[in-house]
Amino acid sequence: MAIPHPSWPVARGLKNKLIGFDQIGMDVWLLTPQNGVTDIRQLEGKTVAVALGSYMHRYVIGRLKEAGILKSTKIVYMLPRDGGPALEKNAVAAFAAPIGMGPLLAERGFPVLDRASHHPHLAGSSLITASDEALKRAPGLAAALLRARQAALNDIRNDPDAYYAFHAKASGFPESVVRASHPVSQFVYEAYPPQGLQQLHHVSQFLLDERLIREPLAVEQWQITGL
């Protein structure tokens, strides 16, 4: 199930802090039914399904806007698990699928019309956050989590095949799908890499444009000094 971008709650007043980024550049697969449209501009006047409030939603809005067809294309809410049946029945012209479900549906033969990886400014990020209360109770929590993550990344990079085999077994997805969804290159060591912070600013602008927040996300104030 897709969840709202972790920066959305803090933009609306949730008291927490950004500890770091889990994955930067998360892809979206824009899939069509068999014999569906072959160009994103052909979606004009048709229906595109996506989990609203997700990073895939931001991608869909951005791509339709760039294609000049946002106002003339219908966007409907759909959970990732319902995307395959909707495509099979030609109930929608396109479905925006997240990591995991996207490459799985592509392997099942649904054509990929477009991907967020072709438009990096519209890709997603997975963030690591902690409540202010938890950080107050355990001041060293953020630094300890960062060290543990860096140690895990060392193990993953030393033996990525073992990591993908473990992830596939734990998630139930085929290993090919896990590899497509979680490239090791998207896992970062730094707590606040420039690329990740830039993506957060893109998210903030999206929220402002869609009138989901009234003021920009204070990214710098969300960070923890010293990480």
Side-chain angles (χ1 to χ4, degrees):
M1 177 177 178
I3 60 173
H5 193 285
S7 66
W8 295 32
V10 74
R12 305 195 70 152
L14 184 66
K15 296 184 181 301
N16 67 5
K17 293 293 184 189
L18 175 64
I19 294 178
F21 291 77
D22 179 44
Q23 189 172 342
I24 296 177
M26 293 163 61
D27 214 343
V28 180
W29 285 257
L30 188 62
L31 301 137
T32 68
Q34 296 287 350
N35 302 314
V37 302
T38 57
D39 187 281
I40 196 165
R41 288 167 294 187
Q42 294 174 353
L43 292 173
E44 185 172 15
K46 296 181 173 61
T47 299
V48 177
V50 64
L52 303 184
S54 65
Y55 81 98
M56 301 88 73
H57 183 204
R58 184 172 73 91
Y59 157 79
V60 167
I61 293 290
R63 285 298 290 128
L64 295 180
K65 185 179 293 185
E66 290 173 353
I69 60 172
L70 177 59
K71 293 182 178 180
S72 54
T73 304
K74 184 179 181 181
I75 300 175
V76 299
Y77 175 76
M78 183 172 290
L79 291 173
R81 65 171 180 256
D82 298 324
L87 292 171
E88 188 71 43
K89 297 175 182 177
N90 283 283
V92 296
F95 169 67
I99 57 174
M101 189 58 67
L104 183 65
L105 291 175
E107 286 190 1
R108 291 177 180 173
F110 293 108
V112 179
L113 181 64
D114 190 50
R115 289 174 58 172
S117 53
H118 301 161
H119 318 276
H121 62 293
L122 296 176
S125 296
S126 177
L127 310 184
I128 304 168
T129 64
S131 68
D132 289 355
E133 182 181 354
L135 293 170
K136 184 178 180 180
R137 291 200 309 266
L141 176 62
L145 284 174
L146 183 60
R147 289 194 301 270
R149 173 178 171 75
Q150 290 172 338
L153 286 177
N154 284 332
D155 290 342
I156 290 173
R157 292 183 177 184
N158 287 334
D159 194 350
D161 290 339
Y163 161 71
Y164 284 123
F166 166 78
H167 194 144
K169 183 178 181 180
S171 67
F173 283 108
E175 188 171 321
S176 58
V177 169
V178 175
R179 287 179 178 271
S181 299
H182 304 279
V184 172
S185 60
Q186 292 184 359
F187 300 143
V188 293
Y189 271 77
E190 300 172 65
Y192 307 124
Q195 181 186 0
L197 296 176
Q198 184 180 36
Q199 280 199 352
L200 283 183
H201 286 293
H202 286 314
V203 171
S204 177
Q205 188 58 54
F206 167 76
L207 295 174
L208 285 170
D209 291 344
E210 296 303 308
R211 299 181 180 180
L212 296 172
I213 57 174
R214 296 179 180 178
E215 297 179 356
L217 173 65
V219 176
E220 291 74 16
Q221 296 179 19
W222 198 22
Q223 300 171 219
I224 299 174
T225 303
L227 283 188

